[in-house]
Amino acid sequence: MADFEGVLGKHKFKYKKSLGQNFIFDEQILDEIAEAGGADGACVVEIGAGAGTLSRAIAKRSRRLCAFEIDETLFPILDETLDGLDNVQLFSNNVLELGVETVDMLIGEPYIVIANLPYYITTPLIFTFLKSELCGSVTCLVQKEVADRICATDGGDFGALSACVQAVANPTKIRDVKSWDFTPMPEVDSTLIRLDRNGGEPLTDKLDAFIKLCFAQKRKTLVNNLTAAGINKQDVTDALDGMGFPATARAEQLGAANLFELGKKLGRA
Ligand code: SAM
């Protein structure tokens, strides 16, 4: 076990809240994340290597680890903490700026994502990988309330985020991680979730945009939300009728799979 905190101290590292830097040092939690994500023998992409704590736990199991980190002050630290691991490639790019096609090209083979995500870009990062042709699963730590929304199948938490994720993946909550297990301690607890792609097509920008339209005003009916966005009213009521739903249905009544189906019927998915 590398002395991660010692190396950070030696380099006088200062945590940057603006980059969502909340590190985990507990070896048992790190091993659990790597195992739950399915690191064994896999090609793994990690977003935000930090001090390399999770990277090490992943790399000792995986065939290949491609770790992204944008804070260059961490590179000399990672040089030390990941020393001796010859299956790790470190990238200094911002995944969101690269875009999913470039990430897929860089990796060049089927992969899975395992990460303690920077919280300020959790959703765009998850969406990026749900749009990938090569990514089979995303296992990540997210704020507890985000995990609740991603996994909700009905009720107040079910919304555009739940529907987009569930249209292309099956989400599972693995375990909660308390705020005091992170350094520095964030204000809220986190949940480790795993999203397994369901074998169908990846999420598209078109479907993502359609689902957001469906939930544009949550208390309004689907017909109202979609016609406000310029979609023909008769087309929407016909499509709903064909699927066995009344014209008064709201987006949450349909669930993810039916919203996907509705998007396809309307040429929007
Ligand atoms: N993996 C480490 C751990 O578990 O202790 C660090 C996790 S910390 C929550 C998130 C890391 O993501 C930080 O090191 C931060 O600098 C990095 N980060 C923030 N935005 C990023 C981005 N757009 N691309 C890659 N890394 C990013």
Side-chain angles (χ1 to χ4, degrees), residues 19-25 30 46-55 68-71 74 93-96 115-121 125 182:
L19 290 181
Q21 292 179 338
N22 301 97
F23 294 177
I24 297 181
F25 296 101
L30 295 164
E46 182 193 10
I47 311 303
T53 53
L54 180 58
S55 320
F68 289 83
E69 176 53 64
I70 53 166
D71 182 354
L74 285 164
N93 314 77
N94 183 331
V95 168
L96 292 180
N116 171 15
L117 289 181
Y119 288 150
Y120 72 109
I121 43 171
L125 280 173
F182 296 83

Side-chain angles (χ1 to χ4, degrees), residues 104-148:
D104 281 4
M105 215 171 61
L106 278 176
I107 312 301
E109 61 172 320
Y111 62 88
I112 57 175
V113 171
I114 302 178
N116 171 15
L117 289 181
Y119 288 150
Y120 72 109
I121 43 171
T122 302
T123 311
L125 280 173
I126 289 176
F127 275 42
T128 295
F129 289 104
L130 292 178
K131 289 174 182 173
S132 156
E133 296 281 350
L134 295 176
C135 177
S137 65
V138 178
T139 301
C140 57
L141 271 166
V142 298
Q143 291 186 344
K144 205 167 181 299
E145 57 97 14
V146 175
D148 290 341

Side-chain angles (χ1 to χ4, degrees), residues 1 18 28 78 149 155 178:
M1 177 75 180
S18 61
Q28 199 184 325
L78 287 163
R149 288 198 282 129
K178 289 290 179 191

Side-chain angles (χ1 to χ4, degrees), residues 24-36 54 57 141 175-178 180-182 192:
I24 297 181
F25 296 101
D26 183 312
E27 208 177 343
Q28 199 184 325
I29 297 176
L30 295 164
D31 282 336
E32 231 181 286
I33 298 172
E35 268 166 36
L54 180 58
L141 271 166
R175 61 160 287 179
D176 290 338
V177 178
K178 289 290 179 191
W180 55 75
D181 287 314
F182 296 83
L192 181 65

Side-chain angles (χ1 to χ4, degrees), residues 148-164 166 211 215 218 250-257 259:
D148 290 341
R149 288 198 282 129
I150 285 177
C151 298
T153 49
D154 52 26
D157 277 342
F158 184 81
L161 176 59
S162 346
C164 280
Q166 292 165 27
I211 289 180
F215 286 94
K218 239 187 145 183
R250 289 188 170 76
E252 64 267 29
Q253 286 171 258
L254 268 72
L259 287 171

